[in-house]
Amino acid sequence: MSILAWLVVGLIAGFLGSKVVNKSGSGLVMDIVLGVVGALVGGFIFNALGHAAPNGINLYSIFVAFIGAVIVLVVYHAVFRRRAL
């Protein structure tokens, strides 16, 4: 994927993921970072399960990145919530 495609998919997936987990967006830059990291995590997981890796701007790529973003946010909150206690 091109850098622009990564940014667009990252923004959409990061925003949706933070809306589901946090009930609010995390800001433009954090949503993009979360979505790109989520795309990497989701791509790795889906590839390990035997599905095709996402490519380009399409619903499948956004779905994979969204699932990865939700996983990243859940793990992030689990790790930092335990440290705060």
Side-chain angles (χ1 to χ4, degrees):
M1 276 198 291
S2 71
I3 300 231
L4 181 61
W6 275 95
L7 294 177
V8 170
V9 169
L11 176 62
I12 294 169
F15 177 75
L16 292 174
S18 62
K19 280 291 203 183
V20 167
V21 176
N22 295 337
K23 308 294 187 247
S24 66
S26 299
L28 181 67
V29 174
M30 283 304 295
D31 282 343
I32 290 173
V33 170
L34 173 63
V36 170
V37 171
L40 293 172
V41 170
F44 177 77
I45 291 171
F46 274 65
N47 196 19
L49 293 174
H51 295 279
N55 54 4
I57 301 175
N58 53 38
L59 288 177
Y60 179 70
S61 296
I62 294 170
F63 175 73
V64 170
F66 166 73
I67 296 298
V70 168
I71 291 170
V72 168
L73 274 173
V74 167
V75 169
Y76 173 80
H77 287 298
V79 168
F80 284 103
R81 187 171 296 142
R82 291 184 187 202
R83 287 187 182 174
L85 294 176

